[in-house]
Amino acid sequence: MNTVVHLSGPHRRGPDLKELVAQVAFGDQDAFSRLYDAVAGPVFGLVRRVLRDPAQSEEVTQEVMLEVWRTAARYQPERGEVMSWVLTMAHRRAVDRVRAVQAAADRDQRVAARSHTPAFDEVAEQVEGRLEREQVRRCLKMLTELQRQSVTLAYYRGYSYREVADMLSTPLGTVKTRMRDGLIRLRDCLGVGS
């Protein structure tokens, strides 16, 4: 004994969407109002899933419903259901909006990157740093080979005096003297006060 029990009461059929679209095609505003009530909720739900932004979803939903009003005469019942036709329009509009928003963001990012001009201080520091490095290179060239190697290993590579002496196979006292003489010559060449 299988009995079917309907808990929701008698099944109410919704409006005939194909008939409503046909009436909308002839400019029937009342039919459009009923069509709007029937499809706007599902359209908004689909658009909201694509866009995630409630305000933009509402805007796109309105655009889709306006498109339904304008293009109702183009609906072809043999090609599918009204809801599928409307939801396809909604999905296309939502995807177009996502692409437009992404394109605008990319464009803004490119413009911002191109228009970034470093602050004056930043440019001045870069120029000053380059000039100082060039001057140090020029002054290093004026040192003897042993002075240049000793200073470079100790100050640019971080080796101790003993490690420099071992690396150059030179007595520690000689390395210290050459380094002191080299630093004095660098100071004079660079014009640094004593």
Side-chain angles (χ1 to χ4, degrees):
M1 176 189 238
N2 291 346
T3 318
V4 176
V5 178
H6 295 281
L7 297 176
S8 61
H11 179 65
R12 278 188 59 215
R13 226 177 113 209
D16 182 359
L17 298 181
K18 289 181 183 180
E19 181 60 35
L20 289 177
V21 170
Q23 292 170 1
V24 169
F26 288 109
D28 186 334
Q29 292 180 1
D30 184 51
F32 180 71
S33 178
R34 291 195 317 263
L35 180 64
Y36 187 99
D37 290 343
V39 300
V43 166
F44 179 76
L46 173 68
V47 170
R48 178 75 194 269
R49 280 193 302 277
V50 174
L51 294 178
R52 296 194 180 111
D53 180 290
Q56 283 195 29
S57 298
E58 289 174 6
E59 195 175 302
V60 170
T61 298
Q62 291 304 315
E63 290 172 7
V64 169
M65 295 313 298
L66 183 60
E67 187 176 352
V68 167
W69 171 258
R70 287 188 309 222
T71 63
R74 291 190 215 148
Y75 170 69
Q76 298 172 357
E78 64 277 1
R79 294 189 69 188
E81 295 298 318
V82 171
M83 189 63 81
S84 298
W85 176 65
V86 174
L87 291 178
T88 299
M89 277 192 272
H91 187 262
R92 285 183 184 146
R93 285 274 178 152
V95 168
D96 287 348
R97 178 64 63 97
V98 168
R99 288 178 180 149
V101 167
Q102 184 61 50
D106 292 347
R107 191 172 40 254
D108 290 346
Q109 193 173 25
R110 284 192 305 271
V111 167
R114 279 195 306 257
S115 67
H116 172 71
T117 38
F120 174 75
D121 292 342
E122 195 177 313
V123 173
E125 286 176 16
Q126 289 175 357
V127 169
E128 190 175 309
R130 274 193 210 122
L131 291 174
E132 286 175 357
R133 284 191 299 276
E134 187 54 43
Q135 188 175 8
V136 168
R137 282 189 200 105
R138 192 172 21 86
C139 291
L140 278 171
K141 288 179 183 176
M142 296 174 61
L143 302 179
T144 67
E145 186 63 29
L146 184 58
Q147 289 172 334
R148 185 173 38 256
Q149 287 175 335
S150 300
V151 168
T152 301
L153 289 171
Y155 288 94
Y156 290 104
R157 303 272 172 86
Y159 291 110
S160 68
Y161 285 180
R162 172 147 321 278
E163 291 170 326
V164 170
D166 291 343
M167 292 173 82
L168 297 177
S169 302
T170 306
L172 179 61
T174 305
V175 166
K176 286 182 178 181
T177 301
R178 296 300 176 252
M179 201 168 309
R180 185 195 60 183
D181 292 344
L183 290 174
I184 290 170
R185 289 179 74 182
L186 275 176
R187 181 193 68 201
D188 292 344
C189 178
L190 294 171
V192 179
S194 25

